[in-house]
Amino acid sequence: MTEFELIRQYFASQPIARNDVRVGIGDDAAVIDPPAGTETVVTTDVLVAGVHFFEDVDPADLGHKSLAVNLSDLAAMGAEPAWFLLDITLPGVDPSWIERFARGLFDLAQIHRVQLIGGDTARGPLSVTITAIGLVPRGAALRRSGARIGDSICVTGTLGDAALALAVRRGEVQVEAAARSALAQRLNRPTPRIEAGKALRDVASSAIDISDGLLADLGHVVTASGVGARLRRDSVPLSDAYRAHLAQVGWDRALAGGDDYELCLTIPRSRADDARAIAERMNFSLTPVGEITAGGGVEIYDAEGRLYRPTRRGYDHFA
Amino acid sequence: MTEFELIRQYFASQPIARNDVRVGIGDDAAVIDPPAGTETVVTTDVLVAGVHFFEDVDPADLGHKSLAVNLSDLAAMGAEPAWFLLDITLPGVDPSWIERFARGLFDLAQIHRVQLIGGDTARGPLSVTITAIGLVPRGAALRRSGARIGDSICVTGTLGDAALALAVRRGEVQVEAAARSALAQRLNRPTPRIEAGKALRDVASSAIDISDGLLADLGHVVTASGVGARLRRDSVPLSDAYRAHLAQVGWDRALAGGDDYELCLTIPRSRADDARAIAERMNFSLTPVGEITAGGGVEIYDAEGRLYRPTRRGYDHFA
């Protein structure tokens, strides 16, 4: 067995076997059979060593995160994940590294019953590209373009933890061990909000996942929808770890830090009670942080109602 | 406009707009609507600078080839290409490079009416990952596992040109300018055999695309099918450029060189006439090169009927 075949073997022994997969790993291509009445939702994200993660990343974390960021995009469409493909380039073959990577990947895959159906492996600088495919009832996908004036802007979970974890890792901020661990978990093991996206699919007017920071991603929504947004800075939900250091680190990582992988949704006023009831029943947090307005762009106001200007607004790989 | 947006703009202005795309580039994910009665075929391949192509590659060639190698996998399933996603990592942004890359990519996309529906861009060492999605009538996909004893083994086009072009480029072989150019075209601008795959879908018992060399890829077919193969070396189709140098370079690049992107199909004897008629009518070359046998593995015989042993059997990135 060549090392190449060894890699394939790790990925072939996955825990999921869906009955809508006609041809899985091992042929020229996979064949899947989306059920009648659905549309197919497809997304892809690439993670590059030294850009999206540290070279010394725990491979199990990388396996988890590579899939999580793609499932997060499906969540933002209100889609149910079903299948994925994995392209990985590796400088060499370290069986224990690959085994740990596969474990992190498949542990998350199993939670969402998403099956690996294909991929490619090559020698090269370490990077991971995943393409995830999901399903929505015909016409039901959540778009960025549906936000309307007066809609409430809501976010799931808490924001800024991953950006704060990164600052801690870089030595820019000091926190105690417990907070450090809680924050690192949020950076390394983000939770794709699949259940929230599906549950709010028929209630929300628009959705996006927060990968580049709330301001940047909400900016995409208002641009696509031809509206504006007004955010209440002090309503943005913070974790206990972040809030404990708020005086030290300020609001900007919560407003504009990347890698949150929460959802930002807009909810028509008429559906606000429904959305709240769904979140309560399904036990996920959904926090109103502002309203859609007529003016373009995103404005932020502090607790005293004064316009607030963050020091940064988002992340651009090539900026 | 950031450079990142500039890249997106090049890829957003594509020539194809299919009416089965519900949401294209620009949302969290694409939404497509495969027609009733079809199954969906998905494949992905990654090309890495310095591994799959030279760093100084013509970007238009790279754009073409990145898509072609994926369409070739769809061809091997008998699928009709419909959509694709593009992940590209770049060390920096050179607008003229990106423009040329996009032109090579979209010129091929237009031929097959395949629409770019999403992707990702990041800073990193140059590599291109494409995921291509196609359609087959339900249950009609060609598999590697369908070869049966007595089937004729056929290949489209000519073999070994890309491997010979690589040898020329590396200075291992000298050829005159016209041959050099013809061979380079085959290496840099492979033609995915979409029409042949679709036309032979109901006639062939198995198919694979020849990316790692005929011996390696036919080896996958016999393994998957639980059979063996006997090849007639001197029946393997060669281009004029290859044949002119056959005495100098020998058969092995035609037998085991990679990057051909022709199809290797097995045809039941009862359908041999049908296959020949289809190839004639549709004007593609289909050459019988051997038969499926009971024994495992692939054996090669020379013109005198003696067992022939090539010096190599295929390509392994990690070997």
Side-chain angles (χ1 to χ4, degrees), chain A:
Chain A
M1 184 184 293
T2 67
E3 289 179 314
F4 204 32
E5 289 164 339
L6 187 69
I7 298 175
R8 289 194 181 135
Q9 187 179 291
Y10 278 111
F11 293 122
S13 62
Q14 62 171 319
I16 316 293
R18 295 174 60 97
N19 60 15
D20 50 17
V21 175
R22 301 282 166 266
V23 179
I25 296 172
D27 215 302
D28 288 85
V31 181
I32 51 178
D33 193 5
T38 64
E39 287 171 342
T40 302
V41 184
V42 194
T43 187
T44 183
D45 272 307
V46 52
L47 301 187
V48 179
V51 178
H52 301 89
F53 58 90
F54 294 99
E55 301 271 0
D56 66 351
V57 66
D58 177 340
D61 286 345
L62 180 60
H64 174 101
K65 188 163 179 175
S66 307
L67 182 57
V69 302
N70 280 285
L71 297 186
S72 179
D73 282 320
L74 295 185
M77 305 300 285
E80 162 123 6
W83 314 283
F84 72 106
L85 299 97
L86 167 71
D87 296 284
I88 184 163
T89 57
L90 294 162
V93 177
D94 172 350
S96 76
W97 192 98
I98 292 167
E99 193 176 356
R100 283 186 58 79
F101 176 89
R103 196 179 311 152
L105 182 78
F106 289 135
D107 281 353
L108 180 62
Q110 201 153 18
I111 291 171
H112 297 288
R113 286 194 28 76
V114 54
Q115 182 175 340
L116 179 66
I117 55 169
D120 195 12
T121 315
R123 189 182 290 280
L126 177 60
S127 78
V128 183
T129 303
I130 282 181
T131 300
I133 311 175
L135 298 165
V136 282
R138 178 162 288 128
L142 280 170
R143 303 288 307 272
R144 295 180 177 183
S145 54
R148 296 293 174 262
I149 297 167
D151 287 357
S152 169
I153 301 165
C154 295
V155 299
T156 61
T158 61
L159 300 186
D161 298 320
L164 186 51
L166 197 60
V168 170
R169 158 88 199 225
R170 287 177 171 152
E172 297 161 14
V173 173
Q174 312 297 324
V175 301
E176 71 285 12
R180 187 184 174 100
S181 164
L183 294 169
Q185 182 74 4
R186 295 271 294 155
L187 175 65
N188 299 327
R189 296 267 180 161
T191 303
R193 300 301 182 186
I194 294 292
E195 291 308 319
K198 279 170 57 189
L200 297 172
R201 188 166 60 200
D202 301 326
V203 174
S205 54
S206 80
I208 193 167
D209 83 316
I210 305 174
S211 54
D212 296 334
L214 175 60
L215 295 184
D217 290 312
L218 181 57
H220 296 317
V221 169
V222 302
T223 300
S225 301
V227 295
R230 176 189 303 257
L231 283 181
R232 294 182 302 276
R233 185 193 70 185
D234 297 52
S235 296
V236 170
L238 303 179
S239 66
D240 291 343
Y242 193 114
R243 190 166 292 280
H245 300 87
L246 180 58
Q248 178 192 358
V249 304
W251 282 98
D252 291 2
R253 288 189 178 85
L255 291 167
D259 267 4
D260 286 319
Y261 302 105
E262 298 295 343
L263 297 183
C264 172
L265 307 111
T266 57
I267 313 278
R269 280 173 197 277
S270 61
R271 307 305 302 273
D273 289 346
D274 296 333
R276 195 160 34 234
I278 289 168
E280 261 175 39
R281 176 161 45 83
M282 299 192 59
N283 199 29
F284 62 82
S285 91
L286 186 70
T287 309
V289 295
E291 286 81 35
I292 295 296
T293 62
V298 179
E299 289 184 336
I300 311 150
Y301 293 86
D302 68 13
E304 284 74 43
R306 291 171 305 210
L307 195 63
Y308 175 79
R309 295 192 184 283
T311 54
R312 55 177 179 176
R313 296 194 73 94
Y315 185 70
D316 184 334
H317 288 292
F318 293 99

Side-chain angles (χ1 to χ4, degrees), chain B residues 43-237:
Chain B
T43 187
T44 183
D45 273 307
V46 53
L47 300 186
V48 179
V51 178
H52 301 90
F53 59 89
F54 294 100
E55 302 270 359
D56 66 351
V57 65
D58 176 340
D61 286 345
L62 180 61
H64 174 100
K65 188 162 179 176
S66 308
L67 182 57
V69 302
N70 280 283
L71 297 186
S72 179
D73 283 318
L74 295 184
M77 305 299 285
E80 162 124 5
W83 314 282
F84 72 106
L85 299 96
L86 167 70
D87 297 284
I88 185 164
T89 57
L90 294 163
V93 177
D94 171 351
S96 77
W97 192 98
I98 292 167
E99 193 177 356
R100 284 186 56 80
F101 176 89
R103 196 180 310 152
L105 180 80
F106 289 134
D107 281 353
L108 181 61
Q110 201 153 17
I111 291 171
H112 297 287
R113 286 194 29 73
V114 54
Q115 182 175 341
L116 179 66
I117 55 169
D120 194 12
T121 315
R123 186 181 293 277
L126 177 59
S127 79
V128 183
T129 302
I130 282 181
T131 301
I133 310 175
L135 297 165
V136 283
R138 177 161 288 129
L142 280 169
R143 305 286 307 273
R144 296 180 176 182
S145 55
R148 295 293 173 263
I149 297 167
D151 287 358
S152 169
I153 302 165
C154 296
V155 299
T156 61
T158 61
L159 301 187
D161 299 322
L164 186 51
L166 199 59
V168 169
R169 159 85 198 228
R170 287 176 172 153
E172 298 160 13
V173 173
Q174 311 298 324
V175 301
E176 70 284 15
R180 185 185 176 99
S181 163
L183 294 170
Q185 183 74 4
R186 294 272 294 156
L187 175 65
N188 298 327
R189 295 268 181 161
T191 304
R193 300 301 182 187
I194 294 293
E195 290 309 319
K198 278 171 56 189
L200 297 172
R201 188 167 60 202
D202 300 327
V203 173
S205 54
S206 80
I208 193 169
D209 82 317
I210 305 175
S211 54
D212 296 334
L214 176 60
L215 296 184
D217 289 313
L218 181 56
H220 295 317
V221 169
V222 302
T223 300
S225 301
V227 295
R230 176 189 301 258
L231 283 181
R232 294 182 302 276
R233 185 194 68 186
D234 297 52
S235 297
V236 169

Side-chain angles (χ1 to χ4, degrees), chain B residues 244-277:
Chain B
H245 299 86
L246 180 58
Q248 177 191 358
V249 304
W251 283 98
D252 291 2
R253 287 188 179 85
L255 292 167
D259 266 6
D260 286 320
Y261 302 105
E262 298 294 343
L263 297 184
C264 173
L265 306 111
T266 57
I267 313 277
R269 280 172 197 276
S270 61
R271 308 305 302 274
D273 289 346
D274 295 334
R276 195 160 33 234

